[in-house]
Amino acid sequence: MEPVETQRRPWVVGVSGASGTPYAAAVLRGLLAAGESVDLVVSRASRLTLLDETGIAFRDAHWREDLTEWLSRGADGKPGAYQVDVSDVRHWAAGDLAAGPSSGSYPVKGMLIVPASTACVAGVALGLSKDLLQRAASVTLKERRPLVVAVRETPLNGQTLKHLVALDEAGAVVLPASPAFYAGATHIQDLVDFVAGRVLDAAGVPHRLYRRWKGQLGGGARGD
């Protein structure tokens, strides 16, 4: 019998139209720094948000260059803050419903939606599969793979709360993009990295994005 060929097993990262593209950038950098492969789906709505928050136009035909420029920027928008190798990223157009992540037979580790808009949350909770992001999330749930939904909206109305409960009951991790302050944040990037680190924690991906709680009051303020 021939040996089984080692398959690439990426994390699918879906970026929806909610404000919070720095969260997505930090998660992507964290995955790549950990040696993980990434399949990226950037929704049509998120491209408008990305353009508004960073000035970067994400184009399918030039996605590699645009992604490199995006990930090189910190949360303050200054270019050149990070050096990132995107050679192990595969991009799928949001309208491509024949893409690999649309099928349960396509090997992936799981999916992270960062940030997740309330429209995205509703679409996934209801199983609408209106685009590849929603379809990939539905596939992730039916295949019982890890799904982390970093919802970014405030306040939340009752209908969205019901959708989030439905996702929780379906096996997803609902992770509000709520930064904490006990880690001694001194810069906006610290707050972004805290949320990104919690997303990676939920996925079981090692990182060093934030200072962990050690059970001692005042540790963050002292820089412990």
Side-chain angles (χ1 to χ4, degrees), residues 148-218:
V148 182
V149 181
V151 60
R152 215 308 304 162
E153 184 63 87
T154 190
L156 297 172
N157 65 29
Q159 199 61 47
T160 297
L161 291 171
K162 291 177 183 177
H163 291 152
L164 292 173
V165 170
L167 289 178
D168 175 78
E169 292 175 343
V173 174
V174 176
L175 195 153
S178 302
F181 296 85
Y182 61 76
T186 59
H187 190 275
I188 186 174
Q189 188 66 53
D190 298 327
L191 299 176
V192 169
D193 284 346
F194 180 88
V195 172
R198 295 298 287 152
V199 171
L200 296 178
D201 285 346
V205 176
H207 66 88
R208 299 180 65 182
L209 286 175
Y210 68 88
R211 182 185 295 111
R212 297 184 180 278
W213 176 250
K214 297 181 180 179
Q216 185 176 9
L217 292 175

Side-chain angles (χ1 to χ4, degrees), residues 94-162:
D96 184 4
L97 292 177
S102 69
S103 172
S105 66
Y106 183 77
V108 303
K109 292 184 177 180
M111 183 172 183
L112 316 174
I113 305 178
V114 188
S117 66
T118 54
C120 173
V121 165
V124 176
L126 297 174
L128 298 183
S129 295
K130 73 167 190 174
D131 61 8
L132 179 59
L133 195 159
Q134 291 184 14
R135 171 60 185 169
S138 295
V139 168
T140 301
L141 289 175
K142 80 179 183 69
E143 296 294 328
R144 301 296 191 267
R145 295 167 181 160
L147 174 64
V148 182
V149 181
V151 60
R152 215 308 304 162
E153 184 63 87
T154 190
L156 297 172
N157 65 29
Q159 199 61 47
T160 297
L161 291 171
K162 291 177 183 177

Side-chain angles (χ1 to χ4, degrees), residues 13-17 40-47 58-60 63 90-99 101-102 111 129-136:
V13 176
V15 185
S16 81
L40 178 64
V41 182
V42 181
S43 77
R44 291 172 180 170
S46 70
R47 297 173 193 229
F58 193 91
R59 303 159 295 176
D60 287 336
W63 71 267
R90 184 170 186 178
H91 168 257
W92 300 96
D96 184 4
L97 292 177
S102 69
M111 183 172 183
S129 295
K130 73 167 190 174
D131 61 8
L132 179 59
L133 195 159
Q134 291 184 14
R135 171 60 185 169

